[in-house]
Amino acid sequence: MSAVQHPPIPTRVLAPGYVVPRLIKGGWQLAGGHGSVDRARAIADMVAFAEAGITAFDCADIYTGVEALIGEFLRGWHERYGAAAPTIRVHTKCVPDRDALPTLTRADIERLIDRSLTRLGVDALDLVQFHWWNFDVPGWLDAAGHLAELKRIGKIRQLGVTNFDTVRLRQLLDAGIPVVSHQVQCSLLDRRALGDMATLCAERGVGLLTYGALAGGFFHERWLDAAEPQSPFENRSLVKYKLIIDEFGGWAAFQPLLQSMRGIADAHASTIGAVALRAVLDEPAVTSVIFGARHADHLPATLASLSLDFSASERAALQALVAAAPGPRGDVYDLERDMTGVHASIMRYNLNA
């Protein structure tokens, strides 16, 4: 079969010779906590996204079953298109268990990387994004150095981090760790990454790969003028991002933002979700946006974000609502690292066993 003719999906250079589409398909919603997964449909959906030109996929070693699922997709993709198969980038993560941090060794790190290689069925990992749960536990700089060594010997092509704070990312870069990307949460609800972190990344050539633009599905018409949802929620994404809405000012502050987004969507014959994606794509610091649409049914609305062009008044209306919000405040992931807070209480810290 001949190669797919992709529509013109915009791209950015993440590192020399390493180009990524501005939209990246996320994999968290295929992990545990989001309901049962139909493997055949999930793989068919991946094919649909890839054939539309969204040729990068994000996952993690702790997203239960997702690396193996993407590995199955990759095998089918190459069987389908052979030597003419368009290149697929798979971005995974290295997330050592929180309980393992005090005794973590180079061999432990290499075992995690080798496991990802096996699950994905590849010879080298395109991009590994390193996370460290607790900076009060020493060893994170050594662990990053071990990953840099695995990059040097060819098991990893590019090295990134995820959810580091500005101080520690600067220390990594100053130590010579070849970080090319930082995966962070960013949306109209959460602007923490667009302050000092964005400045540092711009100065040091680190691309921001952002998640959460759709707020776990809260940026959708179904929530406009709806009563505030209460626990229990239907999936982990809604649990997580309802807490972000609370930081933003609560449901009463969220509704005017949704109303403004709906007005912009109507003016462009589009959707609230497309407006949410476009708002983050328009941030100068952002290299690519990772979107969490679980099914290819969402593909048309996702692609619609690429053709949106806000007017000055539309942009100003969104900025005014965002500027009036009391939070979230602080550095990247500060709220989530606070073990006494509600954000940390929903985390799962030891998923490698």
Side-chain angles (χ1 to χ4, degrees), residues 165-231:
D165 60 22
T166 307
V167 170
R168 271 69 175 213
L169 179 55
R170 181 178 285 108
Q171 290 175 359
L172 276 183
L173 295 167
D174 288 346
I177 304 299
V179 174
V180 302
S181 68
H182 188 192
Q183 186 176 140
V184 293
Q185 185 168 292
C186 184
S187 71
L188 283 169
L189 294 171
D190 184 357
R191 320 296 281 170
R192 289 175 291 173
L194 299 177
D196 292 342
M197 180 60 73
T199 300
L200 173 64
C201 289
E203 290 172 349
R204 306 296 286 270
V206 176
L208 287 182
L209 306 179
T210 66
Y211 65 90
L214 295 170
F218 275 114
F219 280 135
H220 190 278
E221 283 73 10
R222 68 180 283 206
W223 299 109
L224 181 61
D225 298 326
E228 181 172 4
Q230 304 295 323
S231 181

Side-chain angles (χ1 to χ4, degrees), residues 24-35 37 57-60 62-67 70 91 93 183 185 211-212 215-217 235-241 290-294 346-348 351:
I24 295 173
K25 173 72 173 67
W28 188 45
Q29 294 199 23
L30 294 173
H34 293 89
V37 175
F57 294 78
D58 181 82
C59 61
I62 62 168
Y63 294 176
T64 305
V66 178
E67 284 183 326
I70 293 177
H91 300 170
K93 301 178 185 71
Q183 186 176 140
Q185 185 168 292
Y211 65 90
N235 60 56
R236 292 192 67 213
S237 290
L238 294 178
V239 173
K240 171 182 171 60
Y241 288 102
I290 301 162
F291 62 94
R294 183 168 179 172
I346 67 169
M347 299 291 182
R348 297 175 181 174
L351 292 173

Side-chain angles (χ1 to χ4, degrees), residues 84-159:
T87 298
I88 302 294
R89 302 289 193 192
V90 179
H91 300 170
T92 193
K93 301 178 185 71
C94 178
V95 186
D97 286 350
R98 184 183 174 93
D99 289 352
L101 300 184
T103 59
L104 198 69
T105 66
R106 184 193 185 282
D108 294 330
I109 292 288
E110 188 162 16
R111 274 193 291 271
L112 293 177
I113 295 305
D114 287 344
R115 185 182 63 180
S116 291
L117 288 167
T118 298
R119 288 170 171 174
L120 288 165
V122 296
D123 296 327
L125 301 175
D126 290 324
L127 173 69
V128 172
Q129 301 158 105
F130 171 52
H131 178 68
W132 191 262
W133 288 113
N134 184 4
F135 288 128
D136 290 334
V137 177
W140 55 273
L141 188 55
D142 290 337
H146 299 327
L147 288 169
E149 171 62 17
L150 294 173
K151 177 182 183 299
R152 190 190 68 77
I153 66 174
K155 290 191 175 185
I156 299 170
R157 293 192 175 95
Q158 303 294 341
L159 187 59

Side-chain angles (χ1 to χ4, degrees), residues 6 19-20 42 58 62 100 106 124 157 169 207 213 254 288 303-304 315 324:
H6 291 171
V19 176
V20 292
D58 181 82
I62 62 168
R106 184 193 185 282
R157 293 192 175 95
L169 179 55
F254 181 53
S288 297
L303 294 176
R315 197 177 309 279

